[in-house]
Amino acid sequence: MKKLMLAALLSALTLSACGGAATSGGTEPQRGPNSEKRATAFKVLGGDMKEMGDVVKGASAYDVEKFKAKVTEFVAHSQEPFKHFAQDGNGMDGNAKPEIWSAPEQYKAEEAKFVEAVTQFNAAAQAGNLEQIKATFGAVGGSCKSCHDAYKISR
């Protein structure tokens, strides 16, 4: 029961961390072409995380083959936002904090943690062990949250 509650909590954190450019009553950020592509890619990841999170928390049935296919799709989607991490400048960087550009080594370390978490999650999903899937899904969400806490402007 505790594991299920932990998985549900991690799922909720993941959805809030890996969503797109949600705001909290502020104005929408100004976006240049790179920022717009990043935001779009992160929205796709947020949708993937919600769908997989529903399985992890038991709200949707666990169909091994369907889940494996979804995770394979997620892995491909997970690479897309990082193709667009270039500064637009002139106030057009969307929700990206300036630290992304001024401390790129630290940001790249966060990106590497995310890639590793996704790799471990994919391995667990392809093996089909639901308990490992739950644990590694939580690590992916934790990585999203860590990066967003450090590098995403909350609006």
Side-chain angles (χ1 to χ4, degrees):
M1 182 66 170
K2 287 183 182 180
K3 285 184 180 181
L4 185 57
M5 291 176 69
L6 178 60
L9 175 62
L10 289 173
S11 179
L13 287 172
T14 298
L15 292 175
S16 67
C18 283
T23 61
S24 58
T27 60
E28 284 295 315
Q30 295 294 312
R31 298 180 200 265
N34 290 312
S35 178
E36 190 62 45
K37 290 174 185 172
R38 283 192 308 270
T40 298
F42 278 126
K43 285 179 185 177
V44 170
L45 286 181
D48 289 345
M49 291 296 288
K50 179 181 182 337
E51 187 176 335
M52 294 180 305
D54 285 347
V55 172
V56 167
K57 67 183 179 182
S60 294
Y62 175 53
D63 176 315
V64 176
E65 295 307 315
K66 184 177 176 184
F67 194 80
K68 285 180 182 181
K70 183 61 191 178
V71 173
T72 298
E73 184 179 284
F74 169 72
V75 170
H77 292 162
S78 73
Q79 298 166 19
E80 188 61 27
F82 303 106
K83 295 176 183 176
H84 308 289
F85 266 94
Q87 190 171 18
D88 287 307
N90 296 321
M92 301 292 286
D93 289 319
N95 288 330
K97 287 183 179 178
E99 290 82 2
I100 288 178
W101 322 117
S102 65
E105 301 83 19
Q106 289 88 346
Y107 170 74
K108 283 294 191 184
E110 288 288 340
E111 181 182 338
K113 289 179 196 174
F114 175 73
V115 169
E116 179 59 25
V118 169
T119 299
Q120 295 297 318
F121 175 58
N122 185 40
Q126 300 312 317
N129 182 310
L130 188 55
E131 290 307 311
Q132 286 180 329
I133 289 168
K134 289 177 182 180
T136 56
F137 180 79
V140 172
S143 177
C144 291
K145 182 177 180 344
S146 174
C147 194
H148 284 210
D149 286 350
Y151 298 109
K152 181 181 177 194
I153 297 170
S154 298
R155 298 190 190 265

